[in-house]
Coordinates of all heavy atoms in Angstrom, one line a residue:
M281 N -24.3 -48.8 88.4 CA -23.6 -49.6 87.4 C -22.7 -48.7 86.7 O -23.0 -47.7 86.2 CB -24.7 -50.2 86.5 CG -24.1 -51.0 85.4 SD -25.4 -51.8 84.4 CE -24.5 -52.3 83.0
T282 N -21.4 -49.2 86.6 CA -20.4 -48.5 85.8 C -20.2 -49.2 84.5 O -20.0 -50.4 84.5 CB -19.1 -48.4 86.6 OG1 -19.3 -47.9 87.9 CG2 -18.1 -47.6 85.9
I283 N -20.2 -48.4 83.4 CA -20.0 -48.9 82.1 C -18.5 -48.7 81.8 O -18.1 -47.5 81.8 CB -20.9 -48.3 81.1 CG1 -22.3 -48.7 81.4 CG2 -20.5 -48.8 79.7 CD1 -23.4 -48.0 80.5
T284 N -17.8 -49.7 81.5 CA -16.4 -49.6 81.1 C -16.3 -49.7 79.6 O -16.8 -50.6 79.0 CB -15.6 -50.8 81.7 OG1 -15.8 -50.8 83.1 CG2 -14.1 -50.6 81.4
P285 N -15.6 -48.7 79.0 CA -15.5 -48.7 77.5 C -14.7 -49.9 77.1 O -13.8 -50.4 77.8 CB -14.7 -47.4 77.2 CG -14.3 -46.8 78.4 CD -15.0 -47.6 79.6
M286 N -15.0 -50.5 75.9 CA -14.3 -51.6 75.4 C -12.9 -51.2 75.0 O -12.7 -50.1 74.5 CB -15.1 -52.2 74.2 CG -16.3 -52.9 74.5 SD -17.1 -53.6 73.0 CE -15.8 -54.6 72.3
T287 N -12.0 -52.1 75.2 CA -10.6 -51.9 74.8 C -10.6 -52.1 73.3 O -11.0 -53.1 72.8 CB -9.7 -52.9 75.5 OG1 -9.8 -52.7 76.9 CG2 -8.2 -52.6 75.1
P288 N -10.0 -51.1 72.5 CA -9.9 -51.3 71.1 C -9.1 -52.5 70.7 O -8.1 -52.9 71.4 CB -9.3 -50.1 70.5 CG -9.0 -49.2 71.7 CD -9.4 -49.9 73.0
H289 N -9.4 -53.2 69.7 CA -8.6 -54.3 69.2 C -7.2 -53.9 68.9 O -7.0 -52.8 68.2 CB -9.3 -54.9 67.9 CG -8.8 -56.3 67.6 ND1 -7.6 -56.5 67.0 CD2 -9.4 -57.5 67.8 CE1 -7.5 -57.8 66.8 NE2 -8.5 -58.4 67.2
P290 N -6.2 -54.6 69.3 CA -4.8 -54.2 69.1 C -4.4 -54.0 67.6 O -3.5 -53.2 67.3 CB -4.0 -55.3 69.7 CG -4.9 -56.3 70.4 CD -6.3 -55.9 70.0
L291 N -5.1 -54.7 66.7 CA -4.8 -54.6 65.3 C -5.1 -53.2 64.8 O -4.5 -52.8 63.8 CB -5.5 -55.7 64.6 CG -5.0 -56.0 63.1 CD1 -3.5 -56.3 63.1 CD2 -5.8 -57.3 62.6
L292 N -6.1 -52.6 65.4 CA -6.5 -51.2 64.9 C -5.3 -50.3 64.9 O -5.2 -49.4 64.0 CB -7.6 -50.6 65.8 CG -9.0 -51.1 65.5 CD1 -10.0 -50.6 66.5 CD2 -9.4 -50.7 64.1
A293 N -4.4 -50.4 65.8 CA -3.2 -49.5 65.9 C -2.3 -49.7 64.8 O -1.5 -48.8 64.4 CB -2.5 -49.7 67.2
L294 N -2.3 -50.9 64.1 CA -1.4 -51.2 63.0 C -2.0 -50.8 61.6 O -1.2 -50.9 60.7 CB -1.1 -52.7 63.1 CG -0.4 -53.2 64.3 CD1 -0.2 -54.7 64.3 CD2 0.9 -52.5 64.6
I295 N -3.2 -50.5 61.6 CA -3.9 -50.2 60.3 C -3.6 -48.7 60.0 O -3.9 -47.9 60.8 CB -5.4 -50.5 60.3 CG1 -5.6 -52.0 60.6 CG2 -6.0 -50.1 59.0 CD1 -7.1 -52.3 60.8
P296 N -3.0 -48.4 58.8 CA -2.8 -47.0 58.5 C -4.1 -46.2 58.4 O -5.1 -46.7 57.9 CB -2.1 -47.1 57.1 CG -1.6 -48.5 56.9 CD -2.5 -49.4 57.8
P297 N -4.1 -45.1 59.0 CA -5.3 -44.3 59.1 C -6.0 -44.0 57.7 O -7.2 -44.0 57.6 CB -4.9 -43.0 59.7 CG -3.7 -43.3 60.5 CD -3.0 -44.4 59.7
D298 N -5.2 -43.9 56.7 CA -5.7 -43.6 55.4 C -6.4 -44.9 54.8 O -7.2 -44.8 53.9 CB -4.7 -43.1 54.4 CG -3.6 -44.1 54.1 OD1 -3.2 -44.8 55.0 OD2 -3.1 -44.1 53.0
R299 N -6.1 -46.0 55.4 CA -6.7 -47.3 54.9 C -8.0 -47.6 55.8 O -8.8 -48.4 55.4 CB -5.8 -48.5 55.0 CG -4.5 -48.4 54.2 CD -4.8 -48.6 52.7 NE -5.6 -49.8 52.4 CZ -5.1 -51.0 52.1 NH1 -3.8 -51.2 52.2 NH2 -5.9 -52.0 51.8
L300 N -8.1 -47.0 56.9 CA -9.2 -47.3 57.8 C -10.4 -46.4 57.5 O -11.5 -46.9 57.5 CB -8.8 -47.0 59.2 CG -9.6 -47.6 60.3 CD1 -9.9 -49.1 60.1 CD2 -9.0 -47.5 61.7
G301 N -10.2 -45.2 57.1 CA -11.4 -44.3 56.8 C -12.3 -44.1 58.0 O -11.9 -44.1 59.1
D302 N -13.6 -43.8 57.7 CA -14.6 -43.6 58.7 C -15.1 -44.9 59.1 O -16.0 -45.5 58.5 CB -15.7 -42.7 58.2 CG -15.2 -41.3 57.9 OD1 -14.3 -40.8 58.7 OD2 -15.7 -40.6 57.1
R303 N -14.6 -45.4 60.2 CA -15.0 -46.8 60.7 C -16.4 -46.7 61.3 O -16.7 -45.9 62.1 CB -14.0 -47.2 61.7 CG -14.2 -48.6 62.3 CD -13.0 -49.1 63.1 NE -12.3 -48.0 63.8 CZ -12.4 -47.8 65.1 NH1 -13.1 -48.6 65.9 NH2 -11.7 -46.8 65.6
M304 N -17.2 -47.7 60.9 CA -18.6 -47.8 61.4 C -18.7 -48.9 62.4 O -19.4 -48.9 63.4 CB -19.6 -48.0 60.3 CG -19.6 -46.9 59.3 SD -20.9 -47.2 58.0 CE -22.3 -47.0 59.0
D305 N -17.9 -50.0 62.1 CA -17.9 -51.1 63.0 C -16.7 -52.0 62.9 O -16.0 -51.9 61.9 CB -19.1 -52.0 62.6 CG -19.6 -53.0 63.7 OD1 -19.0 -52.9 64.8 OD2 -20.5 -53.8 63.5
T306 N -16.4 -52.7 63.9 CA -15.3 -53.7 63.9 C -15.8 -55.0 64.4 O -16.6 -55.0 65.3 CB -14.1 -53.2 64.7 OG1 -14.5 -53.0 66.1 CG2 -13.4 -52.0 64.2
V307 N -15.3 -56.1 63.8 CA -15.7 -57.4 64.3 C -14.4 -58.2 64.5 O -13.7 -58.5 63.6 CB -16.5 -58.1 63.2 CG1 -16.9 -59.5 63.7 CG2 -17.7 -57.3 62.8
P308 N -14.1 -58.4 65.8 CA -12.9 -59.2 66.1 C -13.0 -60.7 65.8 O -14.1 -61.2 66.0 CB -12.7 -59.0 67.6 CG -13.9 -58.5 68.1 CD -14.7 -58.0 67.0
V309 N -12.0 -61.3 65.2 CA -12.0 -62.7 64.9 C -10.7 -63.2 65.5 O -9.7 -63.3 64.8 CB -12.1 -62.9 63.3 CG1 -12.1 -64.4 63.0 CG2 -13.3 -62.3 62.7
G310 N -10.7 -63.5 66.8 CA -9.4 -63.8 67.4 C -8.4 -62.7 67.3 O -8.8 -61.5 67.5
P311 N -7.2 -63.0 66.9 CA -6.2 -62.0 66.7 C -6.4 -61.1 65.4 O -5.7 -60.1 65.2 CB -4.9 -62.8 66.6 CG -5.3 -64.1 66.0 CD -6.7 -64.3 66.6
A312 N -7.4 -61.5 64.6 CA -7.6 -60.8 63.3 C -8.8 -59.9 63.5 O -9.4 -59.9 64.6 CB -7.9 -61.8 62.2
L313 N -9.2 -59.1 62.5 CA -10.2 -58.1 62.6 C -10.9 -57.8 61.3 O -10.2 -57.9 60.3 CB -9.5 -56.8 63.1 CG -10.4 -55.6 63.4 CD1 -11.3 -55.9 64.7 CD2 -9.5 -54.4 63.7
I314 N -12.2 -57.6 61.4 CA -12.9 -57.1 60.2 C -13.4 -55.7 60.5 O -13.9 -55.4 61.6 CB -14.1 -58.0 59.9 CG1 -13.6 -59.4 59.6 CG2 -15.0 -57.4 58.8 CD1 -14.8 -60.4 59.5
T315 N -13.1 -54.8 59.5 CA -13.6 -53.4 59.7 C -14.7 -53.1 58.6 O -14.6 -53.6 57.5 CB -12.5 -52.4 59.5 OG1 -11.9 -52.5 58.2 CG2 -11.5 -52.5 60.6
V316 N -15.7 -52.4 59.0 CA -16.7 -51.9 58.1 C -16.6 -50.3 58.1 O -16.7 -49.7 59.2 CB -18.1 -52.3 58.6 CG1 -19.2 -51.8 57.6 CG2 -18.2 -53.8 58.7
T317 N -16.4 -49.8 57.0 CA -16.2 -48.3 56.9 C -17.1 -47.7 55.8 O -17.6 -48.4 55.0 CB -14.7 -48.0 56.5 OG1 -14.4 -48.6 55.3 CG2 -13.8 -48.4 57.6
T318 N -17.3 -46.4 55.9 CA -18.1 -45.8 54.9 C -17.2 -45.5 53.7 O -15.9 -45.3 53.9 CB -18.7 -44.4 55.4 OG1 -17.6 -43.6 55.8 CG2 -19.7 -44.6 56.5
V319 N -17.7 -45.4 52.5 CA -17.0 -45.1 51.3 C -17.1 -43.6 51.1 O -18.2 -43.1 51.1 CB -17.4 -46.0 50.1 CG1 -16.8 -45.5 48.8 CG2 -17.2 -47.4 50.4
P320 N -16.0 -42.9 50.8 CA -16.1 -41.5 50.6 C -17.0 -41.1 49.4 O -17.1 -41.9 48.4 CB -14.7 -41.0 50.3 CG -13.8 -42.1 50.9 CD -14.6 -43.4 50.8
A321 N -17.7 -40.0 49.5 CA -18.6 -39.6 48.4 C -17.8 -39.5 47.1 O -16.7 -39.1 47.1 CB -19.2 -38.2 48.8
G322 N -18.5 -39.9 46.0 CA -17.8 -39.8 44.7 C -17.1 -41.1 44.3 O -16.7 -41.2 43.2
Q323 N -17.0 -42.0 45.3 CA -16.3 -43.3 45.0 C -17.4 -44.3 44.9 O -18.5 -44.2 45.4 CB -15.3 -43.6 46.0 CG -14.1 -42.7 46.1 CD -13.0 -43.2 47.0 OE1 -13.1 -44.3 47.5 NE2 -12.1 -42.4 47.3
W324 N -17.1 -45.4 44.2 CA -18.0 -46.5 44.0 C -18.4 -47.2 45.3 O -17.5 -47.6 46.1 CB -17.4 -47.5 43.1 CG -18.4 -48.6 42.6 CD1 -19.2 -48.5 41.6 CD2 -18.6 -49.8 43.2 NE1 -19.9 -49.7 41.5 CE2 -19.6 -50.5 42.5 CE3 -18.1 -50.5 44.3 CZ2 -20.1 -51.8 42.8 CZ3 -18.6 -51.8 44.6 CH2 -19.5 -52.4 43.9
G325 N -19.7 -47.3 45.6 CA -20.1 -48.1 46.8 C -20.5 -47.2 47.9 O -20.4 -46.0 47.9
E326 N -21.1 -47.9 48.9 CA -21.6 -47.2 50.2 C -20.7 -47.7 51.4 O -20.5 -46.9 52.3 CB -23.0 -47.6 50.4 CG -24.0 -47.0 49.4 CD -24.2 -45.5 49.7 OE1 -24.2 -45.1 50.8 OE2 -24.4 -44.8 48.7
R327 N -20.3 -48.9 51.4 CA -19.6 -49.5 52.5 C -18.4 -50.3 52.0 O -18.5 -50.9 51.0 CB -20.5 -50.4 53.4 CG -21.7 -49.8 53.9 CD -21.4 -48.9 55.1 NE -22.6 -48.3 55.7 CZ -23.2 -47.2 55.3 NH1 -22.7 -46.5 54.3 NH2 -24.3 -46.8 55.9
A328 N -17.3 -50.3 52.8 CA -16.2 -51.1 52.5 C -16.0 -52.1 53.7 O -16.2 -51.7 54.8 CB -14.9 -50.3 52.3
V329 N -15.8 -53.3 53.3 CA -15.6 -54.4 54.4 C -14.2 -54.9 54.1 O -13.9 -55.3 53.0 CB -16.6 -55.5 54.3 CG1 -16.4 -56.5 55.4 CG2 -18.0 -54.9 54.4
T330 N -13.4 -54.9 55.2 CA -12.0 -55.4 55.0 C -11.6 -56.4 56.1 O -11.9 -56.1 57.3 CB -11.0 -54.2 55.0 OG1 -11.4 -53.2 54.1 CG2 -9.6 -54.6 54.7
A331 N -11.0 -57.5 55.8 CA -10.5 -58.4 56.8 C -9.0 -58.2 56.9 O -8.3 -58.2 55.9 CB -10.8 -59.9 56.3
W332 N -8.6 -58.1 58.1 CA -7.1 -57.8 58.4 C -6.6 -58.9 59.3 O -7.3 -59.5 60.2 CB -7.0 -56.5 59.2 CG -7.6 -55.3 58.6 CD1 -8.9 -54.9 58.7 CD2 -6.9 -54.4 57.7 NE1 -9.0 -53.7 58.0 CE2 -7.9 -53.4 57.4 CE3 -5.6 -54.3 57.3 CZ2 -7.5 -52.3 56.6 CZ3 -5.3 -53.2 56.5 CH2 -6.2 -52.2 56.1
R333 N -5.3 -59.1 59.2 CA -4.5 -60.0 60.1 C -3.2 -59.4 60.3 O -2.7 -58.6 59.5 CB -4.5 -61.4 59.7 CG -3.5 -61.7 58.5 CD -3.5 -63.2 58.2 NE -2.6 -63.4 57.1 CZ -1.5 -64.1 57.3 NH1 -1.2 -64.7 58.4 NH2 -0.7 -64.3 56.3
Q334 N -2.5 -59.7 61.4 CA -1.2 -59.2 61.7 C -0.1 -60.1 61.1 O -0.2 -61.3 61.3 CB -1.0 -59.0 63.2 CG 0.4 -58.4 63.5 CD 0.5 -58.1 65.0 OE1 -0.5 -58.0 65.7 NE2 1.7 -58.0 65.4
V335 N 0.8 -59.5 60.4 CA 2.0 -60.3 59.8 C 3.2 -59.5 60.1 O 3.3 -58.3 59.6 CB 1.8 -60.6 58.3 CG1 3.0 -61.3 57.8 CG2 0.6 -61.3 58.0
N336 N 4.2 -60.0 60.9 CA 5.4 -59.3 61.1 C 5.2 -57.9 61.6 O 5.9 -57.0 61.2 CB 6.3 -59.3 59.9 CG 6.7 -60.7 59.5 OD1 6.9 -61.6 60.3 ND2 6.8 -60.9 58.2
G337 N 4.3 -57.7 62.6 CA 4.1 -56.4 63.2 C 3.3 -55.4 62.3 O 3.3 -54.2 62.7
T338 N 2.8 -55.8 61.2 CA 2.0 -54.9 60.3 C 0.6 -55.5 60.1 O 0.4 -56.7 60.2 CB 2.7 -54.7 59.0 OG1 2.8 -55.9 58.3 CG2 4.1 -54.0 59.2
A339 N -0.3 -54.7 59.7 CA -1.7 -55.1 59.4 C -1.7 -55.5 57.9 O -1.3 -54.6 57.1 CB -2.7 -54.1 59.7
R340 N -2.2 -56.6 57.6 CA -2.2 -57.1 56.2 C -3.7 -57.4 55.8 O -4.4 -58.0 56.6 CB -1.4 -58.3 55.9 CG 0.1 -58.2 56.2 CD 0.7 -57.4 55.1 NE 2.1 -57.0 55.4 CZ 3.1 -57.7 55.0 NH1 3.0 -58.8 54.3 NH2 4.3 -57.4 55.3
V341 N -4.1 -57.0 54.6 CA -5.4 -57.3 54.1 C -5.5 -58.8 53.7 O -4.7 -59.2 52.9 CB -5.8 -56.4 53.0 CG1 -7.1 -56.7 52.4 CG2 -5.8 -54.9 53.4
V342 N -6.5 -59.5 54.2 CA -6.8 -60.8 53.8 C -7.9 -60.8 52.7 O -7.8 -61.6 51.7 CB -7.2 -61.7 55.0 CG1 -7.6 -63.1 54.6 CG2 -6.1 -61.8 56.0
A343 N -8.9 -60.0 52.9 CA -10.0 -59.9 51.9 C -10.6 -58.5 52.0 O -10.6 -57.9 53.1 CB -11.0 -60.9 52.2
A344 N -11.0 -58.0 50.9 CA -11.6 -56.6 50.9 C -12.7 -56.5 49.8 O -12.5 -57.1 48.7 CB -10.6 -55.5 50.8
T345 N -13.7 -55.7 50.1 CA -14.7 -55.5 49.0 C -15.4 -54.2 49.3 O -15.4 -53.7 50.5 CB -15.7 -56.6 48.9 OG1 -16.5 -56.5 47.7 CG2 -16.7 -56.7 50.1
T346 N -16.0 -53.6 48.3 CA -16.8 -52.4 48.4 C -18.2 -52.8 48.0 O -18.4 -53.5 47.0 CB -16.3 -51.3 47.5 OG1 -14.9 -51.0 47.8 CG2 -17.1 -50.0 47.7
L347 N -19.2 -52.4 48.8 CA -20.6 -52.8 48.6 C -21.5 -51.6 48.2 O -21.4 -50.5 48.8 CB -21.1 -53.5 49.9 CG -20.4 -54.6 50.4 CD1 -20.8 -55.0 51.8 CD2 -20.5 -55.8 49.4
L348 N -22.3 -51.8 47.2 CA -23.3 -50.8 46.9 C -24.4 -50.7 47.9 O -24.9 -49.6 48.2 CB -23.9 -51.0 45.5 CG -23.0 -50.7 44.3 CD1 -23.6 -51.1 43.0 CD2 -22.7 -49.2 44.3
D349 N -24.9 -51.8 48.4 CA -26.0 -51.9 49.3 C -25.5 -52.2 50.7 O -25.0 -53.3 50.9 CB -27.0 -52.9 48.8 CG -28.3 -52.9 49.6 OD1 -28.4 -52.2 50.6 OD2 -29.2 -53.6 49.1
P350 N -25.7 -51.3 51.7 CA -25.3 -51.6 53.0 C -26.0 -52.8 53.6 O -25.5 -53.4 54.6 CB -25.7 -50.3 53.8 CG -25.8 -49.2 52.8 CD -26.2 -49.9 51.5
A351 N -27.1 -53.2 53.1 CA -27.8 -54.4 53.5 C -26.9 -55.7 53.3 O -27.2 -56.7 53.9 CB -29.1 -54.6 52.9
D352 N -25.9 -55.6 52.4 CA -25.1 -56.8 52.1 C -23.9 -56.9 53.1 O -23.2 -57.9 53.1 CB -24.5 -56.6 50.7 CG -25.5 -56.7 49.6 OD1 -26.5 -57.4 49.9 OD2 -25.3 -56.2 48.5
V353 N -23.8 -56.0 54.1 CA -22.7 -56.0 55.0 C -22.7 -57.3 55.9 O -21.7 -58.0 56.0 CB -22.6 -54.7 55.9 CG1 -21.7 -54.9 57.1 CG2 -22.2 -53.5 55.0
P354 N -23.8 -57.6 56.5 CA -23.8 -58.8 57.4 C -23.4 -60.1 56.7 O -22.6 -60.9 57.2 CB -25.3 -58.9 57.9 CG -25.8 -57.6 57.8 CD -25.2 -57.0 56.6
H355 N -23.8 -60.3 55.5 CA -23.4 -61.5 54.7 C -21.9 -61.5 54.4 O -21.2 -62.5 54.6 CB -24.2 -61.6 53.4 CG -23.8 -62.8 52.6 ND1 -24.1 -64.1 52.9 CD2 -23.1 -62.8 51.4 CE1 -23.6 -64.9 51.9 NE2 -23.0 -64.1 51.0
T356 N -21.4 -60.3 54.0 CA -20.0 -60.2 53.7 C -19.2 -60.4 55.0 O -18.1 -61.1 54.9 CB -19.7 -58.8 53.1 OG1 -20.6 -58.7 51.9 CG2 -18.3 -58.7 52.7
V357 N -19.6 -59.9 56.1 CA -18.9 -60.1 57.4 C -18.8 -61.6 57.7 O -17.8 -62.1 58.1 CB -19.5 -59.2 58.5 CG1 -18.9 -59.7 59.9 CG2 -19.2 -57.7 58.3
T358 N -19.9 -62.3 57.5 CA -19.9 -63.7 57.7 C -18.9 -64.4 56.9 O -18.2 -65.3 57.3 CB -21.4 -64.3 57.5 OG1 -22.2 -63.6 58.4 CG2 -21.4 -65.8 57.7
E359 N -18.9 -64.1 55.6 CA -18.0 -64.7 54.6 C -16.5 -64.4 55.0 O -15.7 -65.3 55.0 CB -18.2 -64.2 53.2 CG -19.4 -64.8 52.5 CD -19.6 -64.3 51.1 OE1 -18.7 -63.6 50.6 OE2 -20.6 -64.6 50.5
F360 N -16.3 -63.2 55.4 CA -14.9 -62.8 55.7 C -14.5 -63.4 57.1 O -13.3 -63.7 57.3 CB -14.8 -61.3 55.8 CG -14.6 -60.6 54.4 CD1 -14.9 -61.3 53.3 CD2 -14.3 -59.3 54.3 CE1 -14.8 -60.7 52.0 CE2 -14.2 -58.6 53.1 CZ -14.4 -59.3 52.0
T361 N -15.4 -63.6 58.0 CA -15.1 -64.3 59.2 C -14.6 -65.7 59.0 O -13.6 -66.2 59.5 CB -16.3 -64.3 60.2 OG1 -16.7 -62.9 60.5 CG2 -16.0 -65.1 61.5
E362 N -15.4 -66.4 58.1 CA -15.0 -67.8 57.7 C -13.6 -67.8 57.0 O -12.8 -68.7 57.3 CB -16.0 -68.4 56.8 CG -17.4 -68.6 57.5 CD -18.5 -69.0 56.5 OE1 -18.2 -69.1 55.3 OE2 -19.6 -69.2 57.0
T363 N -13.4 -66.8 56.2 CA -12.1 -66.7 55.5 C -10.9 -66.5 56.5 O -9.9 -67.2 56.4 CB -12.1 -65.6 54.4 OG1 -13.1 -65.9 53.5 CG2 -10.7 -65.5 53.8
L364 N -11.1 -65.6 57.4 CA -10.1 -65.3 58.4 C -9.9 -66.6 59.3 O -8.7 -66.9 59.6 CB -10.5 -64.2 59.3 CG -10.2 -62.8 58.7 CD1 -10.9 -61.7 59.6 CD2 -8.8 -62.5 58.6
Q365 N -10.9 -67.3 59.7 CA -10.8 -68.5 60.5 C -10.0 -69.5 59.8 O -9.1 -70.2 60.3 CB -12.1 -69.0 60.9 CG -12.8 -68.1 62.0 CD -14.2 -68.5 62.3 OE1 -14.9 -69.1 61.5 NE2 -14.7 -68.1 63.4
Q366 N -10.2 -69.7 58.5 CA -9.4 -70.6 57.7 C -7.9 -70.2 57.6 O -7.1 -71.1 57.8 CB -10.0 -70.7 56.2 CG -11.3 -71.4 56.2 CD -11.9 -71.4 54.8 OE1 -11.4 -70.7 53.9 NE2 -13.1 -72.0 54.6
V367 N -7.7 -68.9 57.4 CA -6.3 -68.5 57.3 C -5.6 -68.7 58.7 O -4.5 -69.1 58.7 CB -6.3 -67.0 56.9 CG1 -4.9 -66.4 57.1 CG2 -6.7 -66.8 55.5
L368 N -6.3 -68.3 59.8 CA -5.7 -68.5 61.1 C -5.5 -70.0 61.4 O -4.4 -70.3 62.0 CB -6.6 -67.8 62.2 CG -6.7 -66.3 62.1 CD1 -7.8 -65.8 63.0 CD2 -5.4 -65.6 62.3
N369 N -6.4 -70.8 61.0 CA -6.2 -72.3 61.2 C -5.0 -72.8 60.4 O -4.2 -73.6 60.9 CB -7.4 -73.1 60.8 CG -8.5 -72.9 61.9 OD1 -8.3 -72.5 63.0 ND2 -9.8 -73.1 61.4
L370 N -4.8 -72.3 59.2 CA -3.7 -72.8 58.4 C -2.4 -72.3 59.0 O -1.4 -73.1 59.1 CB -3.8 -72.2 56.9 CG -4.8 -72.9 56.0 CD1 -4.9 -72.1 54.7 CD2 -4.4 -74.3 55.8
N371 N -2.4 -71.1 59.5 CA -1.2 -70.6 60.1 C -0.9 -71.4 61.4 O 0.3 -71.6 61.7 CB -1.3 -69.1 60.5 CG -1.2 -68.2 59.3 OD1 -0.8 -68.6 58.2 ND2 -1.7 -67.0 59.4
A372 N -1.9 -71.7 62.1 CA -1.7 -72.5 63.4 C -1.1 -73.9 63.0 O -0.2 -74.4 63.7 CB -3.0 -72.7 64.1
Q373 N -1.6 -74.5 61.9 CA -1.1 -75.8 61.5 C 0.3 -75.7 61.1 O 1.1 -76.6 61.4 CB -2.0 -76.4 60.4 CG -3.4 -76.8 60.8 CD -4.3 -77.2 59.7 OE1 -3.9 -77.2 58.5 NE2 -5.5 -77.5 60.0
E374 N 0.7 -74.7 60.3 CA 2.0 -74.5 59.9 C 3.0 -74.3 61.1 O 4.1 -74.8 61.0 CB 2.1 -73.4 58.9 CG 1.5 -73.6 57.6 CD 1.6 -72.4 56.6 OE1 2.1 -71.4 57.0 OE2 1.0 -72.5 55.5
G375 N 2.5 -73.7 62.1 CA 3.3 -73.4 63.3 C 3.6 -74.6 64.1 O 4.5 -74.7 64.9
T376 N 2.8 -75.7 63.9 CA 2.9 -76.9 64.7 C 3.7 -78.0 64.0 O 4.0 -79.0 64.6 CB 1.6 -77.5 65.1 OG1 0.8 -77.8 63.9 CG2 0.8 -76.5 66.0
R377 N 4.2 -77.7 62.8 CA 5.0 -78.7 62.1 C 6.4 -78.6 62.5 O 7.0 -77.7 62.9 CB 4.9 -78.4 60.6 CG 3.5 -78.7 60.1 CD 3.4 -78.5 58.6 NE 2.1 -78.7 58.2 CZ 1.6 -78.5 57.0 NH1 2.5 -78.1 56.0 NH2 0.4 -78.7 56.6

């Protein structure tokens, strides 16, 4: 059995490295993306969760938060997934008018 590495989400290439930090996980939401990163020592929180979408060839933040407790990450990712789906649906509706 040969394991093929996953192709990185195309939006990752558009996110400035200083905004991405130490990435722990990514969650694709169609053409959008949620990143979970560690928060640097000395700053507030343990994890940062950011929802991104592409606008005019750049990565734009749709929602972002910093969490004190890493156990809150799954709930936040679920909320951000719903938010991204709403934004993407609105954009699709506007494109069909």
Side-chain angles (χ1 to χ4, degrees):
M281 177 176 167
T282 304
I283 298 175
T284 306
M286 287 183 54
T287 303
H289 195 283
L291 196 51
L292 280 174
L294 301 177
I295 300 172
D298 63 327
R299 297 288 310 272
L300 196 52
D302 291 330
R303 183 170 30 109
M304 298 184 71
D305 199 6
T306 57
V307 180
V309 182
L313 183 69
I314 297 171
T315 58
V316 179
T317 58
T318 59
V319 174
Q323 293 187 11
W324 188 88
E326 291 287 324
R327 301 286 184 270
V329 181
T330 308
W332 304 87
R333 72 181 183 113
Q334 184 174 339
V335 177
N336 298 326
T338 63
R340 298 286 173 94
V341 174
V342 174
T345 191
T346 305
L347 304 169
L348 282 174
D349 188 351
D352 293 333
V353 169
H355 176 72
T356 303
V357 167
T358 298
E359 285 183 7
F360 283 12
T361 298
E362 292 170 4
T363 299
L364 279 171
Q365 289 170 338
Q366 290 173 355
V367 168
L368 294 171
N369 287 339
L370 285 173
N371 287 343
Q373 289 174 1
E374 287 177 2
T376 59
R377 289 183 187 176

